[in-house]
Amino acid sequence: MYYAAVIPLLLCLATQAWARYMCPTKCTCYLDQKGRRAVLCKEGGLVGPLNLNNVSLDTEVIKITAPDDNMNELTMSPVFQSYKKLEEIHITKSNVPQLGMHFFWGLTKLDVLNLSQNNITQPLDHNFRGLSKLKELYLDDNRIISLPSGTFRFLHELKVLSIQRNRIEELTPRIFLEVAKLRVLKLSGNHLRELNPEVFKDVQELRSLECRGCALTKLNNEIYHLLPHLTHLDLGDNEIKTLQPEDFRDLTNLKHLKLDGNQLTSIVNSTFIHQPMLKKLNLARNHIAKVSPDAFTNAYNLTELDLGHNELKNLEFLRSVADTLEILVLSGNHLKLHALRVLSEMTALKGLHLSGCGLADIHSPIFSSRLNMLDLSNNHLSSLQSEVLPSNLTELDISSNRFRGISEEVMRLLDNANNIKLENNMWSCDLCHIVPLLDRVNRSTSFREVTCSAPFAVKGKKLGAMKKNELSWCTVPSYPMSDADYFLVARDGKVGLMIAGTSVVLLVLAICGVIAALCYSRRHAAKYYTHEDQLAKEGESIFENNHSPLFCDGELSFKFPLDHGDKKISIATIDEIKKEHCITNGT
Ligand SMILES: *[C@@H]1O[C@H](CO)[C@@H](O)[C@H](O)[C@H]1NC(C)=O
Ligand SMILES: *[C@@H]1O[C@H](CO)[C@@H](O)[C@H](O)[C@H]1NC(C)=O
Ligand SMILES: *[C@@H]1O[C@H](CO)[C@@H](O)[C@H](O)[C@H]1NC(C)=O
Ligand SMILES: *[C@@H]1O[C@H](CO)[C@@H](O)[C@H](O)[C@H]1NC(C)=O
Ligand SMILES: *[C@@H]1O[C@H](CO)[C@@H](O)[C@H](O)[C@H]1NC(C)=O
Ligand SMILES: *[C@@H]1O[C@H](CO)[C@@H](O)[C@H](O)[C@H]1NC(C)=O
Ligand SMILES: *[C@@H]1O[C@H](CO)[C@@H](O)[C@H](O)[C@H]1NC(C)=O
């Protein structure tokens, strides 16, 4: 009563101090970014009918929410009617079970009503009566089972309607009656199974439609006929199996299309022939094995294409977008190097994702020179040559591969890169592998965080904690190639053979091993001498520790992926010799 009496007086003053004075305990009152008076109550634990005691009548924004472990238990009550200035109401995480009749009556300035994360089961048209200016309505994460025809018919100005993650199984005819100005409709996470074209007759101005995870099995292209202005369409995580050549015929304004997480197996000729504006296309996580060479003709504006986690083998279709595509995701497709050759023709490409593609070696130049961002993580790579790397990289991800070191040339190429991911490799912290990285260790945390996995003495140590004079000469590799599983190389350099085959195979491999050992140790000894000279010249202090180069551990299986320049050393790892000379016919 006392407050009711002083309100008019203080309203006249209308000072900021007033807003601070009239603030419910456990809430904060402030001016928001747009300079509006806002009240935020987010501590939770509120129980019973909603009340706005101590909330000033000229409040423009009300936000009532709660932390996950202390949700409110509110019921709605007709408290808003004297708050004529309200522009936004957010009552979320409050377990509100239903909305009362005409409770928002008279809020002619209300723009945004957010009732997400409550327990509403059935909104009715009279709940929203009087909200003649409402532009955005959010009812996400409730328990709405059905929406009767005309539920939103008093919301003539509604532009955004979001009813995601409820329990709606059917869109009733005329559900969108009289919301003809609707631009954005979000229905994701409702088990709808199909979209009835009939209901979209009322919302032909739609620009954006989302129905992700709606259990849709097919598309009815009559819908698109009704929605010619659509620019964004998200139908990801459904069960769509096929796209017909001209399915999207009517969507000539489409800019972003998401069909990721469906069950498509191929993209046929002319699928996107009517989408000259298409910029971003997401087809990730399907079972696409084949894309017609003409699938993207006319997609002049396609700049981002995600085909990750499909079953692609052939990439010839990329030729038709070679001049425009800027970002391409092919991660999670098992791709052969020869299939990737087409990438070198993609002159506009800036970002390329080839994570988890089963790549073991990249020896021919497949990257266009303009590439800035390259993701090669989760492959089986053990070395990169500077000739194949694009010269302008700013971002490189080679985490989760089999790198033991990076050569000086490659490091020099990367000196302008600002984001290099290196973790989870087989970094050998010895003089043969890690020096170029160690020299730059202070450049970034990702270098300092590089964790040595060999030699044993420094295993687990971070590069940031290493000193150059701690480095030992060379270490035993674990086999980097994927077919190395046939061998187990013991730390002391003995080659133990684990053969998953017949004893015949064992014999053949053993002979190969001997030949390899012989050839290799000869070349290798020579190599050590040259290295010794070179290093002595450079004044390296490698002789300070006990490892004499001539008695390098595990010389038999030694590998130099990083030798600078001169001749290509024939790297005599056993598995390569095996590959070249022995079991070419299939194991
Ligand atoms: C309203 O403000 C008064 C005085 O500051 C306070 O005693 C009372 O607890 C407040 N009530 C609520 C619901 O915040
Ligand atoms: C609506 O409320 C939810 C839950 O608090 C919040 O995550 C969401 O961002 C809000 N939406 C808008 C448009 O403010
Ligand atoms: C939501 O409402 C239903 C009844 O409609 C009730 O059984 C359930 O307990 C409510 N959920 C919570 C979290 O209060
Ligand atoms: C795709 O369709 C166009 C016109 O319908 C045709 O000219 C072209 O040869 C077709 N391409 C393929 C690969 O079938
Ligand atoms: C799409 O491509 C056409 C032809 O190249 C071009 O004229 C048009 O401006 C582009 N539109 C957009 C939105 O980029
Ligand atoms: C590399 O980037 C610079 C500046 O971003 C640019 O001037 C140069 O043309 C680029 N080089 C290549 C080969 O794309
Ligand atoms: C990196 O920085 C540390 C501390 O500032 C310094 O002791 C170390 O010598 C630097 N390492 C290199 C390779 O510059």
Side-chain angles (χ1 to χ4, degrees):
M1 286 316 288
Y2 171 72
Y3 282 105
V6 289
I7 279 168
L9 171 68
L10 289 172
L11 259 183
C12 296
L13 301 176
T15 60
Q16 216 173 310
W18 161 248
R20 223 175 287 130
Y21 180 57
M22 277 293 285
C23 196
T25 48
K26 296 189 178 173
C27 300
T28 43
C29 300
Y30 58 100
L31 294 179
D32 76 358
Q33 279 171 342
K34 295 184 188 163
R36 300 177 299 185
R37 291 167 194 284
V39 178
L40 169 66
C41 309
K42 59 170 186 180
E43 283 188 17
L46 303 173
V47 178
L50 177 67
N51 78 60
L52 298 177
N53 291 346
N54 292 7
V55 175
S56 135
L57 279 178
D58 60 354
T59 300
E60 291 159 294
V61 178
I62 290 181
K63 295 189 179 189
I64 296 173
T65 185
D68 286 333
D69 58 355
N70 192 20
M71 299 268 253
N72 299 323
E73 299 271 350
L74 292 178
T75 52
M76 294 296 270
S77 53
V79 288
F80 293 112
Q81 266 145 34
S82 30
Y83 291 82
K84 301 284 184 212
K85 295 199 166 177
L86 274 176
E87 293 180 8
E88 293 191 17
I89 298 177
H90 304 254
I91 299 175
T92 62
K93 298 192 180 182
S94 294
N95 248 312
V96 173
Q98 59 198 0
L99 306 168
M101 193 188 284
H102 303 173
F103 278 8
F104 301 108
W105 182 260
L107 299 184
T108 50
K109 290 196 168 170
L110 201 69
D111 272 334
V112 178
L113 179 56
N114 185 357
L115 297 166
S116 300
Q117 295 180 287
N118 283 298
N119 200 6
I120 299 166
T121 48
Q122 176 132 54
L124 297 168
D125 59 356
H126 61 238
N127 297 144
F128 306 114
R129 194 147 194 184
L131 294 173
S132 55
K133 290 278 154 49
L134 195 71
K135 294 199 178 60
E136 303 177 21
L137 176 59
Y138 302 92
L139 293 166
D140 302 332
D141 301 290
N142 277 283
R143 292 153 55 98
I144 299 171
I145 293 157
S146 71
L147 291 167
S149 306
T151 302
F152 309 106
R153 70 194 169 103
F154 298 115
L155 306 175
H156 298 300
E157 296 295 322
L158 199 63
K159 295 268 188 329
V160 179
L161 176 59
S162 183
I163 327 174
Q164 305 180 90
R165 296 173 300 275
N166 277 281
R167 300 174 181 191
I168 304 167
E169 301 204 342
E170 195 191 349
L171 295 176
T172 333
R174 309 312 302 268
I175 182 176
F176 302 125
L177 186 69
E178 293 187 40
V179 282
K181 292 186 180 168
L182 202 65
R183 295 294 179 97
V184 178
L185 178 59
K186 302 187 183 192
L187 297 168
S188 299
N190 288 289
H191 200 80
L192 292 171
R193 289 187 298 265
E194 61 176 344
L195 294 177
N196 177 4
E198 205 51 36
V199 304
F200 293 94
K201 282 190 172 152
D202 292 315
V203 284
Q204 300 198 17
E205 290 292 311
L206 270 193
R207 299 297 194 270
S208 170
L209 174 62
E210 296 177 12
C211 206
R212 176 171 280 270
C214 287
L216 304 176
T217 50
K218 59 180 193 302
L219 299 168
N220 186 336
N221 51 25
E222 272 176 57
I223 294 172
Y224 306 140
H225 185 61
L226 294 167
L227 304 176
H229 304 294
L230 222 50
T231 59
H232 291 65
L233 178 61
D234 182 353
L235 297 172
D237 289 320
N238 282 297
E239 293 153 29
I240 299 165
K241 293 192 176 60
T242 55
L243 294 180
Q244 299 306 321
E246 311 234 335
D247 257 354
F248 300 114
R249 181 178 51 231
D250 297 307
L251 298 183
T252 52
N253 290 305
L254 208 56
K255 290 199 179 106
H256 299 178
L257 175 60
K258 294 185 187 173
L259 289 164
D260 51 312
N262 278 285
Q263 296 168 10
L264 301 171
T265 53
S266 68
I267 303 295
V268 297
N269 192 359
S270 310
T271 305
F272 304 108
I273 201 160
H274 300 290
Q275 278 68 50
M277 314 280 263
L278 195 61
K279 276 178 89 74
K280 298 186 187 180
L281 176 59
N282 190 346
L283 294 167
R285 297 182 295 112
N286 279 280
H287 308 290
I288 300 170
K290 195 169 174 300
V291 179
S292 156
D294 288 331
F296 301 113
T297 27
N298 291 11
Y300 309 115
N301 293 302
L302 193 64
T303 54
E304 284 188 43
L305 177 59
D306 189 344
L307 280 162
H309 302 277
N310 278 291
E311 289 153 29
L312 292 170
K313 297 271 179 281
N314 185 324
L315 304 175
E316 290 304 307
F317 63 89
L318 288 174
R319 277 182 217 282
S320 59
V321 283
D323 300 337
T324 54
L325 213 56
E326 292 176 8
I327 294 176
L328 175 61
V329 183
L330 294 169
S331 300
N333 290 282
H334 218 84
L335 292 164
K336 294 273 191 307
L337 197 61
H338 66 80
L340 293 174
R341 293 245 164 85
V342 64
L343 295 177
S344 63
E345 294 168 32
M346 312 217 40
T347 50
L349 207 59
K350 295 195 185 114
L352 176 61
H353 296 261
L354 292 170
S355 173
C357 289
L359 302 173
D361 188 15
I362 300 176
H363 48 73
S364 54
I366 55 170
F367 303 123
S368 87
S369 56
R370 287 181 60 181
L371 213 57
N372 294 138
M373 189 277 152
L374 179 58
D375 178 1
L376 292 170
S377 60
N378 292 295
N379 283 294
H380 311 299
L381 299 169
S382 56
S383 68
L384 279 178
Q385 271 110 45
S386 56
E387 310 86 72
V388 306
L389 271 189
S391 51
N392 255 6
L393 276 188
T394 56
E395 275 181 63
L396 175 67
D397 187 348
I398 54 166
S399 57
S400 301
N401 274 283
R402 297 174 178 197
F403 285 93
R404 305 179 63 215
I406 301 185
S407 70
E408 179 62 29
E409 281 87 350
V410 170
M411 286 312 301
R412 240 179 267 144
L413 259 183
L414 296 174
D415 275 342
N416 294 323
N418 51 28
N419 190 350
I420 304 177
K421 296 209 171 87
L422 301 169
E423 67 267 16
N424 202 10
N425 275 288
M426 299 171 154
W427 301 112
S428 270
C429 296
D430 57 35
L431 284 171
C432 307
H433 296 97
I434 215 75
V435 174
L437 259 177
L438 188 58
D439 283 343
R440 294 166 172 83
V441 73
N442 286 343
R443 262 200 52 203
S444 83
T445 35
S446 82
F447 291 8
R448 283 193 288 275
E449 291 294 308
V450 161
T451 309
C452 305
S453 44
F456 188 70
V458 294
K459 191 170 179 186
K461 201 164 173 184
K462 296 267 197 299
L463 204 57
M466 298 279 296
K467 292 269 176 318
K468 215 166 182 177
N469 59 14
E470 283 179 76
L471 297 183
S472 60
W473 188 200
C474 300
T475 23
V476 182
S478 22
Y479 270 82
M481 307 301 285
S482 52
D483 49 358
D485 300 339
Y486 296 102
F487 298 90
L488 270 187
V489 181
R491 283 212 59 81
D492 58 5
K494 277 185 200 151
V495 177
L497 292 173
M498 266 186 49
I499 303 299
T502 64
S503 53
V504 180
V505 177
L506 177 73
L507 188 64
V508 174
L509 287 175
I511 293 168
C512 285
V514 171
I515 296 169
L518 282 174
C519 302
Y520 187 71
S521 53
R522 270 154 73 196
R523 284 193 194 119
H524 203 208
K527 184 63 201 168
Y528 280 140
Y529 283 116
T530 47
H531 244 259
E532 188 184 338
D533 295 340
Q534 193 185 323
L535 290 173
K537 249 181 271 157
E538 287 167 19
E540 300 271 4
S541 56
I542 54 166
F543 297 111
E544 278 169 24
N545 51 49
N546 298 332
H547 298 256
S548 152
L550 285 176
F551 295 97
C552 223
D553 299 336
E555 106 181 12
L556 201 134
S557 49
F558 190 73
K559 188 173 175 182
F560 278 95
L562 305 170
D563 269 297
H564 324 161
D566 45 359
K567 290 142 260 162
K568 273 247 150 54
I569 305 141
S570 64
I571 296 163
T573 56
I574 286 177
D575 50 342
E576 282 173 22
I577 286 183
K578 177 197 71 182
K579 237 193 304 182
E580 280 167 32
H581 303 291
C582 311
I583 34 171
T584 33
N585 41 356
T587 20

